[in-house]
Amino acid sequence: MILLIQNIEDYNNDFRVSLQAFYGGERIIVPEIFEKKPELKREVDKVFAADIREQSIEIKMYAGTLEDDGKAELAEAVIDAVISGEKPDEAPVCSSRVDIDGDSRDKAVVRNPLKLAIYEMLSAYTGRTLPWGSLTGIRPTKIAVAQIEDGEDRESVISNYINVYGTSRAKAELAFDVAGREKMIIDSVAEEDEYCLYIGIPFCPTRCLYCSFTSYPLAKWANRMDEYLDALEKEIAFTAEACKHKVLNSVYIGGGTPTTLSAEQMDRLLTMIGSYFGIADEQGRMIYADEHVNEIDVIDEVQNPMDGAGTENALTDADSKMEKARKQTQLLEFTVEAGRPDSITREKLEVIHRHNISRISINPQTMKEETLRLIGRQHTVQQTIDSFKLAREVGFDNINMDLIVGLPEETIEDVRETMRQLEELDPDNITVHSLAIKRAARLRMQKEQYENLHIENTAQTIDLTAECCHEMGLEPYYLYRQKNMAGNFENVGYAKPGKAGVYNILIMEEKQTIMALGAGATTKVVFEDGKRIERVGNVKDIINYLDRVDEMVERKRELLKNCGQL
């Protein structure tokens, strides 16, 4: 347990995330807690103290001596002395000082050198280097994108990562390469009058051991899923009307597991989206930007109507129909996360394909049977293979597969075998996630039950997945990080040329508004030329969502008004 002591709390979050990068999973407390729980003082084995002065910040770490039983105990006298501002009898195990040319409370100036100092201090003390250095944010490529936009060349961008953040050269090069691919898509679509749509289906066959998403067991909610779609329709109707002056360029249906919906329910949802947002033809097939509208055919249809109504106002009708058709053709991508192989059927895939959905995801996470059982997934490796082949047979030509490295009890050889099997399937996208154990995951909440599980992610494993993806003709196109990641690595999306996920890039780089519907979904409005972002979230609990969906609509209405978007 780590005791965090600071005389000013301006950098509280920076201290915490820097400590978590080295001591992930350890509890961080502050002295005030001893007033209610004095017994916790006996569990403190490290004290991190920060003394923030006008033009300098001093940081020190005190640590207990490791005993024979493997526990490190820190004398309470040391803890009391540091809390009171006195000099303890014991010297700190490591320390550093940041001198500031200006005001120490100027975060824009101080944050990066302070976090680098903490990183270098803890790295020297622990003997560990972290691949991303002092970077703890979830979007490390934003730095490279900004520098590229400012005209910086490859080497200057890479040097900035290394010198300012202590990033390894390999990760700096990865960030630059991904940023370049991201920027090409961002430049073509990320306009303030464009937006993305996210729809969450928060149901799963079972809940995975590591999962922290809004997700509920299908067996309990199966008889209320139509009611959930009713609530979604209210949000869909409002959003389509509120954003009618904007261009919808990407739709993503995620979860949970969207294919927990029946084929009929999936058909209803896709029909609603296509109809309300005007992005589908009369057969309910989504229309994309590369599907050009024949103006002669449109005018001919209006002038020669099937019902024999004549040609009065034909030109006006044709103009109206062309305007709608042009709006329809702005859609770049529509993704449905098919997700769990045990929720996929031919009937569901045929419904999705009939609506001309451009991209689906089938997510095995691993191709090792024992791991699937351990993490709570009920499907088999063969079901993954069968589902993928079925999707190809139905006609899908852009299929993503999600993997997680660092899963309990898995070795690099297990990952190698997973990659070998995926190479045989030849997916169009592979997204490689590093295991991140968040507070809401069973693996964290019931950690005593799982404390003997071996969880490890190494640079060699990450490099292996990158090499395998490259050999399959897949290149990295988006990247993000999460707190509490095994090995302090990253998640990377790989894709074949022309198959990159537009939505994934836009949500990571925060260049465009994301209207998010469904339980637990968070809407982000980007405005003032990308300089400001405001958020509003829906309630996570499904009962609350069903009862309060009108309130969720009003939250969005208020947000859009406040941002000058309505």
Side-chain angles (χ1 to χ4, degrees), residues 458-478:
T458 66
Q460 289 77 15
T461 304
I462 293 294
D463 291 345
L464 170 67
T465 60
E467 291 165 8
C468 290
C469 286
H470 181 71
E471 290 171 3
M472 295 163 63
L474 306 169
E475 296 299 332
Y477 75 93
Y478 93 108

Side-chain angles (χ1 to χ4, degrees), residues 481-500:
R481 304 181 66 228
Q482 294 170 279
K483 292 180 180 179
N484 303 318
M485 271 187 162
N488 203 252
F489 291 105
E490 67 279 335
N491 302 328
V492 183
Y494 297 88
K496 293 181 179 179
K499 302 290 187 180

Side-chain angles (χ1 to χ4, degrees), residues 164-185:
V164 176
Y165 305 102
T167 306
S168 71
R169 184 170 188 88
K171 295 306 178 188
E173 290 175 346
L174 174 63
F176 180 87
D177 292 342
V178 170
R181 295 186 179 98
E182 286 182 342
K183 190 174 183 303
M184 285 191 290
I185 291 180

